[in-house]
Amino acid sequence: MEVPLWLALLVVGYLGIKLIRPPAWLIAVLLLGGFLLADSVLAPAIDTFVK
């Protein structure tokens, strides 16, 4: 069974928000920070670190 990545992330994010209940500003900072880092000069360095 293959599950699309976007669906898996959506389910994990929904469960994380429902179970852990982080503050809204923390969610916004993580989403915005991840979006900005993915398009920065640091992206190749992060990519090698993650892999």
Side-chain angles (χ1 to χ4, degrees):
M1 181 171 125
E2 293 185 24
V3 177
L5 179 61
W6 63 268
L7 181 61
L9 290 175
L10 186 68
V11 169
V12 169
Y14 177 77
L15 290 175
I17 290 172
K18 282 295 192 182
L19 296 176
I20 300 174
R21 299 184 194 271
W25 63 266
L26 181 60
I27 296 170
V29 166
L30 289 175
L31 288 174
L32 184 61
F35 178 75
L36 293 175
L37 280 177
D39 199 31
S40 71
V41 295
L42 296 174
I46 295 170
D47 188 41
T48 57
F49 178 72
V50 170
K51 288 183 180 178

